[in-house]
Amino acid sequence: MLLFTFSSIGLPGMNGFAGEFLLLLGMFQRGWSEAPLEWACQWKAISVLAAFGVGLGAWYMLWLVERVFFGNTS
């Protein structure tokens, strides 16, 4: 289960890393350097929200592993 969890959160060296890294790299590159003027603010906000979502997803998956293997620790 830990192996699948680490893969799901995009740990470097696992299969989920390439997809998450390339997605975020493309979004930040497009939002901060290549964006048309009328869309720049929206693309920047979307790229920041996507990075926040990746972090939130990683936190949730690790919280899940903690609760499953170590019980209710909160």
Side-chain angles (χ1 to χ4, degrees):
M1 178 153 175
L2 284 175
L3 184 67
F4 293 131
T5 300
F6 289 154
S7 176
S8 177
I9 64 175
L11 191 71
M14 302 284 183
N15 61 349
F17 177 72
E20 283 187 8
F21 178 73
L22 291 174
L23 179 87
L24 291 175
L25 179 69
M27 290 180 71
F28 275 94
Q29 183 179 9
R30 180 73 175 192
W32 262 268
S33 63
E34 300 175 0
L37 193 56
E38 63 273 2
W39 291 98
C41 184
Q42 289 89 351
W43 285 354
K44 288 178 184 178
I46 290 170
S47 62
V48 168
L49 287 174
F52 180 71
V54 166
L56 187 63
W59 171 80
Y60 178 72
M61 292 295 289
L62 293 174
W63 178 74
L64 169 82
V65 168
E66 177 188 17
R67 301 247 331 198
V68 167
F69 289 113
F70 302 111
N72 189 359
T73 59
S74 55

